[in-house]
């Protein structure tokens, strides 16, 4: 990152050569995305990149938070009961668990949109699966990237009601884990997208809600309510609602009297529809205004993500050509490939790798008369027509304005109101954590030294081995009826061996700290040699014991679990041995990363499944049959229960209010409203019982126009709750089953 400013170099060094979690922020166009791409391609750490939405994850080259951690979409309550409930719901494959156990660096992109409870969920999962319950994020370094002045987390009234007792706010920094261990705050301060200093100053004032009278007047000069979309003007309309953007694009395309061409995406493997970067069936015409949605990978770069142009021609072979104002030649548009990945661990090297799940191939174009502000985040435009009169979240106005390279490229369809520039007070307070460059430099030197020592200490760390054998013992004891009698005593023997290794390693780490503090290199070298001899011999003894397993089971399922965990323990001990026997007085980070990557797991196979225990088998079968019978009876009993929505309906007919029902049943008001909506659809309850009559017809019109639940809520300016809106929707048979997305 030599071509960038010193603050980028500082951030890069924190990411590469320390264990410190950092928050990287900055104005739009300051290079946060560039930083992430550089980091992914250069880091020696075991890295995973996640983001809150599918499109953001694809653009960042990672996966969604919910997918990576297998999280439910319900709010998370940060209590002991909430943690137990979360871990009981998570069904994680052994491969995903291994990825999390090997993880060294987690990058969370677009952190401004991540809700506080979601971050605490991540923390809970990492602590649990990595067997490090006392360490924030289970000991993983986390890099948070995003701008808190842009798009905030989505918090519905129901979610707010659930989480308000536990959080002072809903931004990521309001999470319990961040309160425990705040990241180092690093702000990128050089703007690359814009060059006009006056415009940069104006954007910063908008971002901070400190708009001066001078800047306000400059913005008002860009106000032109009579602007009409035209073919010649190479600009794009930014609006706050998706339905409006789609309507404009469809209307403008229909006006063009040219042949319609369709281009179908080639989709292979797994690629969720919600992650599609554009329409899977793209409808285009000559003369259509389009936007590139990817950067040109060729040289010289002819286009970038967000560049606007017009389709000049589509030939007989359905090749598409685009003409842009600043390029004399037509651009021949080739197919772009987007990939959907997941993280896996190489069984031999124990390195995290990316596995291709599926791909999406399509022309990197979308119609560009209009686009939502939300979808414009991260893009750059030469010209933009902005309509943010209906802005419904803090940051929308700033995101829209900051997409342009210059003030001259902006046309405002609606005036900018100071009321649209509000900033959450939580964000204002948190930005005070920004550190000066000198402070960061001083901290960096300390953290680097600590990191080198930590890497050395981790070589003599048997936490994973201990956690795995404890988990294996627990599972085997639970299913001991399936195993031979010698299995448990055998595992206890291995457990004691590993516990002893862990105990001695802990004492040795304390010695190392003192030796390093005293800066006695000769003693350090000698102690490392002595430690190598001791641990290598004892690890080898345990490995030899594991190569002749004294365990058998007649249960295939129990055997599979046993085999998986047993192999993991073997691999972990083998890696400890590899690292310990090769370390010497050179314990630099570079040396240790080299050793980690050079590891190759020795060949080891185990299968404890054995099916000749006839007596045991018959007993097991009896138990299984009995359990199945009990489960069946329990299920049948459960099925006879009165549906929960029917109970709410009966209570309402008895004269109880929604609030009374919610309190008595320990549900939210929104849940009871959903229950009663069923009976509005059937006509057994009238919607007028819950909603003032003057609101019903206007809301129905908005639903018919394709507006989402959230957009209508904002349009109604808080006069109606989400539950009331759902009730109105329930009167519309064609929309009664519609989701809230």
């Amino acid at each position: 990152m030599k071509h960038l400013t010193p603050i980028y170099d500082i951030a890069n060094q924190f990411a590469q050569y320390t264990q410190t979690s950092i928050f990287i922020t900055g104005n739009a166009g300051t290079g946060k995305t560039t930083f992430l791409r550089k980091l992914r391609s250069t880091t020696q750490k075991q890295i995973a990149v996640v983001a809150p939405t599918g499109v953001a994850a694809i653009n960042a080259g990672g996966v969604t938070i919910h997918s990576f951690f297998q999280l439910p979409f319900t709010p998370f309550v940060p209590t002991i009961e909430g943690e137990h409930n979360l871990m009981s719901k998570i069904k994680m494959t052994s491969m995903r668990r291994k990825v999390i156990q090997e993880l060294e660096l987690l990058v969370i992109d677009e952190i401004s949109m991540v809700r506080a409870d979601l971050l605490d969920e991540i923390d809970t999962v990492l602590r649990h699966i990595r067997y490090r319950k006392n360490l924030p994020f289970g000991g993983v370094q986390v890099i948070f990237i995003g701008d808190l002045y842009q798009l905030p987390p989505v918090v519905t009234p129901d979610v707010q009601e659930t989480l308000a007792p536990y959080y002072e706010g809903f931004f990521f920094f309001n999470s319990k884990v961040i309160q425990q261990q705040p990241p180092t705050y690093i702000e990128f301060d050089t703007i690359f997208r814009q060059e006009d200093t006056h415009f940069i100053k104006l954007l910063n004032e908008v971002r901070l809600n400190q708009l001066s009278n001078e800047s306000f007047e400059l913005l008002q000069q860009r106000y032109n309510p009579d602007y009409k979309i035209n073919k010649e003007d190479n600009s794009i309309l930014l609006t706050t609602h998706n339905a409006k953007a789609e309507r404009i694009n469809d209307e403008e395309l229909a006006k063009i009297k040219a042949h319609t061409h369709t281009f179908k995406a080639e989709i292979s493997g797994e690629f969720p529809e919600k992650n599609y970067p554009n329409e899977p069936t793209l409808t285009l015409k000559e003369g259509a205004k389009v936007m590139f949605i990817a950067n040109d990978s060729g040289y010289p770069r002819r286009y970038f993500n967000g560049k606007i142009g017009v389709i000049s021609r589509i030939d007989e072979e359905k090749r598409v050509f685009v003409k842009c104002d600043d390029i004399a030649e037509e651009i021949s548009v080739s197919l772009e490939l987007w990939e959907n990945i997941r993280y896996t661990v190489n069984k031999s090297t124990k390195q995290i790798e990316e596995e291709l799940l599926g791909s999406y191939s399509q022309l990197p174009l979308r119609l560009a008369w209009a686009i939502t502000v939300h979808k414009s985040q991260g893009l750059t435009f030469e010209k933009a027509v902005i309509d943010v009169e209906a802005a419904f979240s803090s940051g929308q106005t700033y995101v829209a304005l900051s997409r342009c390279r210059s003030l001259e490229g902006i046309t405002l369809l609606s005036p900018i109101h100071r009321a649209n520039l509000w900033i959450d007070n939580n964000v204002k307070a948190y930005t005070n954590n920004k550190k000066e460059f000198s402070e960061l430099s001083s901290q960096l030197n300390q953290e680097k030294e600590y990191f080198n020592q930590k890497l050395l200490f981790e070589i003599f760390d048997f936490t994973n081995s201990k956690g795995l054998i404890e988990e294996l013992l627990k599972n085997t004891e639970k299913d001991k009826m399936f195993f031979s009698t010698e299995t448990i005593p055998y595992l206890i023997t291995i457990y004691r061996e590993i516990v002893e290794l862990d105990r001695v390693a802990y004492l040795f780490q304390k010695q190392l700290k003192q030796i390093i503090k005293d800066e006695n290199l000769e003693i350090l070298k000698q102690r490392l040699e002595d430690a190598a001899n001791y641990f290598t011999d004892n690890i080898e003894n345990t490995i030899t014991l594991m190569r002749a397993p004294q365990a058998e089971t007649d249960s295939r399922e129990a055997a599979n679990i046993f085999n998986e965990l047993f192999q993991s323990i073997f691999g972990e001990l083998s890696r400890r041995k590899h690292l310990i026997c090769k370390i010497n007085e050179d314990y630099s980070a570079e040396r240790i990363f080299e050793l980690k990557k050079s590891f190759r797991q020795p060949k080891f196979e185990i299968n404890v499944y054995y099916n000749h225990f006839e007596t045991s088998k018959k007993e097991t079968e009896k138990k299984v049959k009995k359990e199945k019978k009990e489960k069946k009876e329990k299920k049948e009993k459960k099925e006879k229960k009165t549906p929960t929505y029917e109970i709410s309906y009966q209570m309402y007919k008895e004269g109880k209010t929604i609030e009374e029902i919610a309190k008595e049943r320990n549900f939210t008001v929104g849940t009871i409203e959903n229950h009663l909506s069923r009976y509005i659809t059937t006509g057994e309850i009238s919607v007028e019982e819950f909603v003032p009559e003057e609101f019903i017809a206007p809301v129905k019109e908005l639903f018919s126009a394709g507006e989402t639940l959230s957009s209508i809520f904002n349009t109604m300016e808080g006069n109606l709750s989400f539950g009331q809106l759902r009730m109105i929707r329930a009167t519309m048979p064609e929309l009664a089953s519609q989701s809230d997305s």
Side-chain angles (χ1 to χ4, degrees):
M1 312 196 68
K2 293 180 180 177
H3 62 292
L4 299 176
T5 62
I7 196 69
Y8 290 83
D9 184 54
I10 283 278
N12 184 51
Q13 291 193 60
F14 266 107
Q16 303 272 24
Y17 307 117
T18 80
Q19 181 66 15
T20 306
S21 291
I22 56 177
F23 169 46
I24 295 177
T25 189
N27 294 38
T30 51
K32 297 184 293 292
T33 301
T34 301
F35 175 87
L36 173 55
R37 288 173 182 157
K38 285 280 186 183
L39 178 63
R40 290 183 74 241
S41 64
T42 59
T43 186
Q44 298 186 78
K45 296 177 180 178
Q46 302 264 53
I47 184 175
V49 180
V50 298
T53 67
V55 174
I58 294 292
N59 291 336
V63 300
T64 65
I65 292 171
H66 285 86
S67 169
F68 186 80
F69 293 101
Q70 295 293 284
L71 300 175
F73 287 93
T74 50
F76 170 71
V77 176
T79 62
I80 294 175
E81 293 78 11
E83 292 177 4
H84 288 320
N85 185 46
L86 172 65
M87 297 313 303
S88 67
K89 289 180 179 177
I90 290 178
K91 307 299 180 187
M92 196 172 286
T93 64
S94 59
M95 178 55 70
R96 198 176 299 274
R97 290 175 67 90
K98 287 178 182 175
V99 170
I100 290 174
Q101 287 167 355
E102 298 295 334
L103 192 62
E104 294 171 326
L105 174 60
L106 175 68
V107 179
I108 307 178
D109 198 22
E110 300 291 0
I111 191 63
S112 71
M113 295 189 288
V114 176
R115 217 168 57 209
D117 64 309
L118 180 55
L119 200 63
D120 281 333
E121 280 187 288
I122 295 171
D123 174 55
T124 298
V125 173
L126 287 171
R127 292 183 193 231
H128 183 87
I129 292 180
R130 292 173 58 83
Y131 310 115
R132 292 166 171 84
K133 294 185 179 180
N134 295 324
L135 292 177
F137 298 109
V140 174
Q141 180 187 19
V142 185
I143 296 180
F144 311 93
I145 301 178
D147 184 2
L148 294 171
Y149 294 101
Q150 296 190 38
L151 301 178
V154 175
V155 184
T156 63
D158 286 353
V159 171
Q160 185 169 0
E161 184 181 349
T162 302
L163 298 180
Y166 306 98
Y167 295 102
E168 292 183 2
F170 301 103
F171 288 94
F172 86 98
F173 55 79
N174 295 123
S175 63
K176 303 298 182 185
V177 64
I178 295 300
Q179 299 298 312
Q180 181 183 351
Q181 184 177 285
T184 294
Y185 192 118
I186 300 177
E187 184 167 352
F188 291 172
D189 50 12
T190 301
I191 297 175
F192 300 99
R193 182 175 293 153
Q194 295 89 15
E195 296 180 356
D196 183 345
T197 55
H198 295 292
F199 187 39
I200 291 172
K201 176 178 176 291
L202 183 151
L203 288 176
N204 200 50
E205 289 176 0
V206 170
R207 179 175 183 256
L208 301 175
N209 192 17
Q210 297 173 348
L211 195 61
S212 64
N213 291 332
E214 180 188 0
S215 296
F216 183 75
E217 288 301 318
L218 285 173
L219 275 178
Q220 301 308 82
Q221 291 172 19
R222 308 309 305 169
Y223 175 47
N224 180 10
D226 301 322
Y227 172 85
K228 302 294 182 187
I229 297 174
N230 62 80
K231 182 180 176 181
E232 288 73 31
D233 187 6
N234 198 22
S235 59
I236 188 168
L237 174 66
L238 300 183
T239 185
T240 52
H241 292 75
N242 195 54
K244 185 175 181 178
E246 289 180 356
R247 185 179 71 249
I248 292 172
N249 285 327
D250 291 342
E251 289 173 353
E252 294 300 318
L253 186 66
K255 291 177 183 177
I256 300 175
K257 308 300 181 184
H259 180 69
T260 299
H261 299 266
T262 59
F263 302 85
K264 290 189 176 181
E266 295 179 10
I267 305 167
S268 64
E270 298 178 31
F271 205 105
E273 186 175 349
K274 62 182 180 181
N275 295 349
Y276 291 172
N278 62 357
E279 295 297 324
T281 301
L282 200 57
T283 303
L284 301 174
K285 295 179 181 180
E286 291 182 2
K289 185 182 289 187
V290 291
M291 176 180 73
F292 288 93
I293 59 169
N295 295 320
D296 188 1
S297 57
Y299 184 82
R301 285 182 57 186
R302 302 161 300 164
Y303 58 86
F304 54 84
N305 193 357
K307 190 176 184 66
I308 305 292
V310 175
I311 295 179
S312 52
R313 60 191 175 100
I314 302 174
D315 65 17
E316 295 179 355
E317 298 178 3
K318 294 193 73 171
R319 290 183 301 177
V320 178
F321 296 85
V322 174
K323 184 71 179 64
C324 300
D325 286 347
D326 58 341
I327 302 176
E329 301 81 17
E330 294 176 315
I331 299 173
S332 175
V333 185
S334 303
L335 291 172
E336 185 74 22
L337 185 70
W338 289 267
E339 294 181 339
N340 181 33
I341 66 158
R342 72 176 171 197
Y343 293 102
T344 62
V345 174
N346 186 296
K347 290 183 179 179
S348 175
T349 65
K350 301 299 181 184
Q351 295 293 301
I352 294 178
E353 298 175 346
E354 294 179 2
E355 178 186 350
L356 181 64
L357 292 180
S359 63
Y360 179 97
S361 181
Q362 178 63 288
L363 293 172
L365 299 172
R366 73 161 69 237
L367 295 177
W369 285 280
I371 191 175
T372 63
V373 174
H374 194 95
K375 288 180 179 176
S376 76
Q377 188 160 352
L379 303 182
T380 303
F381 306 121
E382 297 295 339
K383 295 180 180 179
V385 181
I386 298 172
D387 180 12
V388 289
E389 188 173 27
F392 53 85
S393 68
S394 65
Q396 270 194 322
T397 302
Y398 171 67
V399 170
L401 294 172
S402 62
R403 298 309 93 196
C404 279
R405 292 188 184 276
S406 66
L407 182 62
E408 289 71 26
I410 292 175
T411 300
L412 298 175
L413 284 186
S414 54
I416 298 295
H417 301 292
R418 294 182 184 273
N420 288 352
L421 306 179
W422 64 275
I423 297 173
D424 192 289
N425 288 328
N426 277 324
V427 172
K428 283 184 181 178
Y430 186 68
T431 56
N432 293 328
N433 291 298
K434 175 187 174 182
K435 289 191 174 182
E436 298 298 325
F437 187 84
S438 58
E439 291 181 272
L440 291 171
S441 298
S442 177
Q443 182 187 346
L444 177 63
N445 293 329
Q446 295 175 0
E447 297 291 350
K448 275 185 172 180
E449 186 176 347
Y450 172 76
F451 179 60
N452 279 350
Q453 294 177 20
K454 183 176 179 295
L455 285 176
L456 176 62
F457 298 156
E458 283 181 349
I459 290 175
F460 303 92
D461 187 349
F462 292 86
T463 302
N464 279 356
S465 303
K466 187 180 175 184
L468 288 165
I469 188 64
E470 286 174 347
E471 188 174 348
L472 179 56
L473 253 175
K474 182 181 176 182
N475 285 334
T476 308
E477 285 175 341
K478 183 182 67 176
D479 296 330
K480 62 183 178 182
M481 68 184 73
F482 301 115
F483 286 89
S484 59
T485 55
E486 64 266 26
T487 302
I488 299 294
Y490 169 69
L491 288 181
I492 290 173
T493 302
I494 295 174
Y495 170 75
R496 287 171 176 166
E497 293 282 334
I498 293 174
V499 167
E500 180 62 13
L501 284 168
D502 183 62
R503 185 190 69 82
V504 177
Y506 174 75
L507 295 173
F508 179 63
Q509 288 177 41
K510 290 180 68 175
Q511 289 182 14
L512 280 183
K513 286 179 184 177
Q514 189 58 49
I515 294 170
I516 293 171
K517 185 179 178 181
D518 295 340
E519 299 182 348
N520 197 323
L521 295 181
E522 286 300 316
I523 293 178
L524 177 62
K525 182 181 178 181
Q526 185 60 52
R527 292 298 293 125
L528 287 173
E529 288 178 0
D530 293 342
N533 293 330
Y534 172 84
F535 285 106
T536 301
D537 289 345
N538 283 274
I539 292 171
E540 185 56 42
N541 290 338
T542 307
I543 287 176
T544 302
L545 187 63
M546 295 182 72
R547 287 189 180 276
Q550 299 172 37
E552 291 178 335
T553 178
D554 59 350
S555 167
R556 290 187 183 274
E557 184 180 355
N560 289 337
I561 295 171
F562 188 103
N563 295 337
E564 186 80 39
L565 284 167
F566 203 80
Q567 284 179 324
S568 295
I569 297 165
F570 180 90
E572 183 62 26
L573 289 174
S574 298
R575 180 163 53 174
R576 289 302 116 208
K577 180 185 171 186
H578 166 80
L579 295 171
I580 289 171
C581 71
K582 291 184 179 293
I583 199 67
N584 49 39
E585 68 269 17
D586 180 9
Y587 58 93
S588 63
E590 291 79 7
R591 167 67 174 163
I592 293 173
F593 280 124
E594 285 175 9
L595 289 177
K596 286 182 176 182
K597 289 182 178 180
S598 67
F599 171 70
R600 298 293 181 271
Q601 182 165 318
K603 188 176 179 181
F604 177 70
E605 294 180 1
I606 180 173
N607 189 356
V608 298
Y609 178 68
Y610 198 59
N611 62 359
H612 74 267
F613 302 111
E614 295 299 333
T615 304
S616 176
K617 195 173 180 180
K618 288 177 182 178
E619 291 176 359
T620 301
E621 286 173 353
K622 285 181 182 178
K623 289 180 181 179
V624 170
K625 285 180 181 178
K626 185 181 178 183
E627 288 174 0
K628 284 183 177 179
K629 186 181 178 182
E630 289 173 351
K631 283 182 181 178
K632 186 180 178 182
E633 290 173 350
K634 190 175 180 181
K635 185 179 179 183
E636 288 173 351
K637 187 178 178 181
K638 189 176 181 181
E639 288 173 349
K640 291 177 182 177
K641 289 176 65 178
T642 305
T644 184
Y645 57 85
E646 192 172 321
I647 296 171
S648 296
Y649 174 65
Q650 292 299 331
M651 292 173 73
Y652 178 73
K653 297 302 285 184
E654 291 169 4
K656 294 183 178 178
T657 66
I658 290 177
E659 289 74 17
E660 288 170 344
I661 299 169
K663 186 176 180 180
E664 189 171 330
R665 300 201 64 197
N666 198 27
F667 286 147
T668 65
V669 169
T671 299
I672 305 302
E673 289 173 331
N674 283 338
H675 289 172
L676 298 181
S677 291
R678 289 171 172 263
Y679 299 94
I680 293 175
T681 301
T682 62
E684 294 171 78
I685 302 179
S686 171
V687 69
E688 284 84 1
E689 294 180 43
F690 309 97
V691 184
E693 191 173 351
E694 68 265 21
F695 291 115
I696 295 174
V699 170
K700 281 186 173 183
E701 288 182 10
L702 291 170
F703 273 125
S704 298
E707 292 289 334
T708 65
L709 196 73
S710 296
S711 66
I712 298 174
F713 177 81
N714 289 295
T715 301
M716 302 309 295
E717 299 180 339
N719 287 312
L720 296 178
S721 69
F722 277 89
Q724 289 173 308
L725 294 176
R726 292 189 185 100
M727 286 176 166
I728 297 173
R729 188 176 64 190
T731 67
M732 307 170 70
E734 71 277 13
L735 299 178
S737 62
Q738 182 174 301
S739 72
D740 294 343
S741 61

